[in-house]
Amino acid sequence: MTSLSKDSSILIIGGGTWGCSSALHLARRGYKNVTVLEAHPIPSPISAGNDVNKIMEEGEPSENDTEEQYVWNRMHQITTKYWKEDHVFKSFYHPTGIIFSAISDDVYEHVKGYTKGTESEWVSLDSPEDFKKTMPEGVLQGEFPGWRGFWKDHGAGWVFARGAMMSAYEEASKLGVKFVTGDSAGKVTSLLYSESKDTVLGAKTADGVSHHADQTILCAGANGDLLFDFEQQLRPTAWTLAHIPLSVEEAAIFKDLPVLYNPERGFFVEPDVEKRELKFCDEHPGYINMVKNATPGYSEGTTHSQPFARHQIPVESETRMRKFLQEAMPQIADRDFSFARICWDADTVDRQFLIDRPEGRNGLVVAAGGSGMGFMMMPVVGQLIVDRMEGVMEEKLQKGLRWRPEQAVGRDWQASKCLFRRSDD
């Protein structure tokens, strides 16, 4: 590995959630020659982080944590500090509380296990009336058939995703980071390698320009394995979301709501202030788009999931969304959607992030595998990426976030349906 100085050239591929976070942390550590390549204007319309809100949960490690639990809880601990104290992020965190709920016995036991060790912080919800008391009168008008759960009014809430991403982007720009955007100048078509193929030298963009760098950071989200061989550790997966418009009066009542989450139905967060739209998502394992084409990680004829952008959702997803609303808020369940889209991320086998220097590829750090949790950790992810680049990442975190292709051996990432399908994970 070539030693880096603050004058070394650093190239970031991807200007979404993790790319903006990486740019910010690099600039804060004094790196003077940082460039970000992004195919779209920031905030990118296809970035999962270009959204009105994301769930945020606070946390910290405990002495009883397993290795996997420690990694998550340590990241929660650090990201919580950023969301609460850092001027770039703190205005976007709304600690409104959260409700975890379920219907079937097995899922309820899983939800109950989530509260283990902190039972005194949670209020048990065992009836429709219990659920309705968690929010202002008139919000929850459903019958909540079979629902049970737990509620706490602190330690969790939501973050204004688009605002936080733009704040990181603007601060990084102010500190000297160069952002190159556009479907020609900013769209990366391939990585640049040394003659021996053991060193990444930068990237080539659609306009034919070669961008050489001392260090390249690949954080292209669900598109990452179109540029580099991740040895089938990633599966691009899409989730669905929709918005429903509210009246001025309804939006006022719906303000400062706790997050309502049910792993068998979906979740919603308080409405967007500007447009008075309530965002909600159905809960399902994710969709994949299986295609056959040659990419760095897949040979010709190999079937794999490939992202595409669309402001539409499958009919079955809308059906699940409306069922969720009918059980919780039937007064708005039949309204037309004002917005809907599929939202791509990349799953790892164990749903843990992948932030590492792949063996045999000098000059490269990969950061991928958000697995539906990437934005919550946005403030800390950039720190971890730069830590790994500099070789100073905390040992337990480095082990948990390591390059681990052995987990993908024998893994069937495909599903049984055709083309645009639900995953079987």
Side-chain angles (χ1 to χ4, degrees):
M1 168 183 158
T2 303
S3 60
L4 298 172
S5 72
K6 301 303 181 183
D7 293 316
S8 296
S9 55
I10 313 293
L11 185 67
I12 300 173
I13 300 174
T17 301
W18 288 14
C20 287
S21 182
S22 299
L24 174 64
H25 282 277
L26 283 165
R28 283 180 164 180
R29 292 198 195 181
Y31 288 93
K32 303 171 186 176
N33 190 4
V34 181
T35 301
V36 179
L37 298 176
E38 168 57 52
H40 301 87
I42 297 174
S44 166
I46 67 169
S47 171
N50 187 1
D51 197 358
V52 293
N53 48 52
K54 302 288 188 183
I55 297 173
M56 166 59 195
E57 300 169 58
E58 301 176 21
E60 60 183 22
S62 74
E63 60 182 16
N64 298 319
D65 282 349
T66 63
E67 288 186 355
E68 182 179 356
Q69 289 170 335
Y70 176 85
V71 172
W72 277 116
N73 289 333
R74 178 65 173 137
M75 289 195 298
H76 274 288
Q77 182 182 43
I78 304 171
T79 206
T80 296
K81 185 176 177 66
Y82 279 115
W83 284 120
K84 287 186 169 183
E85 300 177 11
D86 193 293
H87 75 274
V88 170
F89 300 108
K90 66 182 182 180
S91 65
F92 303 106
Y93 176 35
H94 301 258
T96 57
I98 194 166
I99 297 165
F100 280 111
S101 55
I103 299 170
S104 63
D105 290 341
D106 58 338
V107 179
Y108 175 72
E109 287 302 316
H110 177 75
V111 169
K112 189 175 181 180
Y114 187 83
T115 69
K116 188 175 181 180
T118 59
E119 289 88 349
S120 62
E121 298 182 25
W122 297 86
V123 175
S124 180
L125 307 175
D126 301 309
S127 68
E129 290 70 29
D130 288 342
F131 279 92
K132 293 174 183 178
K133 289 177 183 177
T134 65
M135 299 189 188
E137 184 176 356
V139 175
L140 301 178
Q141 299 183 22
E143 294 302 318
F144 292 89
W147 286 49
R148 293 171 291 169
F150 302 88
W151 165 53
K152 66 175 180 178
D153 61 4
H154 62 282
W158 63 276
V159 291
F160 175 29
R162 185 182 306 115
M165 187 164 69
M166 287 301 294
S167 181
Y169 159 69
E170 290 166 358
E171 182 72 5
S173 298
K174 187 188 305 181
L175 294 175
V177 174
K178 179 182 179 182
F179 287 81
V180 179
T181 62
D183 59 7
S184 180
K187 183 178 181 180
V188 173
T189 56
S190 64
L191 299 180
L192 298 175
Y193 292 92
S194 63
E195 187 174 345
S196 61
K197 302 294 185 182
D198 65 350
T199 302
V200 173
L201 303 175
K204 187 175 183 178
T205 46
D207 56 2
V209 174
S210 294
H211 300 260
H212 290 88
D214 297 314
Q215 176 69 57
T216 300
I217 299 172
L218 176 60
C219 45
N223 289 307
D225 71 348
L226 298 178
L227 297 170
F228 184 73
D229 184 358
F230 278 86
E231 300 184 46
Q232 302 190 38
Q233 294 178 79
L234 302 181
R235 181 189 61 184
T237 307
W239 287 274
T240 53
L241 63 87
H243 296 180
I244 278 184
L246 301 176
S247 67
V248 174
E249 293 76 18
E250 287 171 330
I253 296 173
F254 277 56
K255 191 176 186 309
D256 297 326
L257 300 184
V259 175
L260 175 62
Y261 177 65
N262 183 320
E264 297 175 83
R265 289 292 183 264
F267 66 88
F268 72 82
V269 184
E270 71 171 276
D272 171 36
V273 175
E274 295 179 357
K275 296 183 178 180
R276 301 194 309 275
E277 293 178 336
L278 181 73
K279 169 200 164 183
F280 57 97
C281 301
D282 66 321
E283 190 67 17
H284 63 99
Y287 290 94
I288 53 178
N289 176 41
M290 303 306 291
V291 299
K292 289 185 178 181
N293 62 6
T295 69
Y298 303 88
S299 59
E300 188 70 47
T302 301
T303 303
H304 63 105
S305 180
Q306 185 166 314
F308 64 92
R310 183 167 296 174
H311 283 182
Q312 290 178 312
I313 59 174
V315 171
E316 65 176 31
S317 185
E318 178 180 356
T319 299
R320 288 193 300 269
M321 288 180 175
R322 294 199 183 279
K323 181 177 179 62
F324 169 41
L325 292 176
Q326 286 161 2
E327 294 183 0
M329 295 181 291
Q331 71 273 25
I332 64 172
D334 296 327
R335 293 183 189 177
D336 290 339
F337 294 164
S338 53
F339 177 78
R341 76 158 170 155
I342 56 174
C343 183
W344 289 92
D345 202 347
D347 284 338
T348 58
V349 174
D350 58 2
R351 300 290 173 84
Q352 184 54 274
F353 302 161
L354 172 57
I355 301 174
D356 203 358
R357 289 184 173 275
E359 187 176 352
R361 289 291 187 268
N362 298 320
L364 178 69
V365 172
V366 295
S371 302
M373 301 282 285
F375 199 92
M376 181 192 305
M377 299 295 178
M378 177 194 180
V380 69
V381 160
Q383 173 187 316
L384 295 173
I385 290 169
V386 182
D387 282 351
R388 188 66 190 95
M389 184 191 80
E390 295 181 336
V392 297
M393 184 186 285
E394 182 181 321
E395 184 177 353
K396 289 183 179 179
L397 294 178
Q398 182 171 326
K399 181 180 179 181
L401 307 177
R402 73 189 184 282
W403 183 261
R404 47 193 189 278
E406 70 280 359
Q407 291 189 353
V409 174
R411 182 71 172 187
D412 182 8
W413 282 118
Q414 299 187 29
S416 58
K417 296 182 181 179
C418 61
L419 194 59
F420 189 62
R421 64 195 78 183
R422 285 187 71 178
S423 77
D424 60 350
D425 204 19

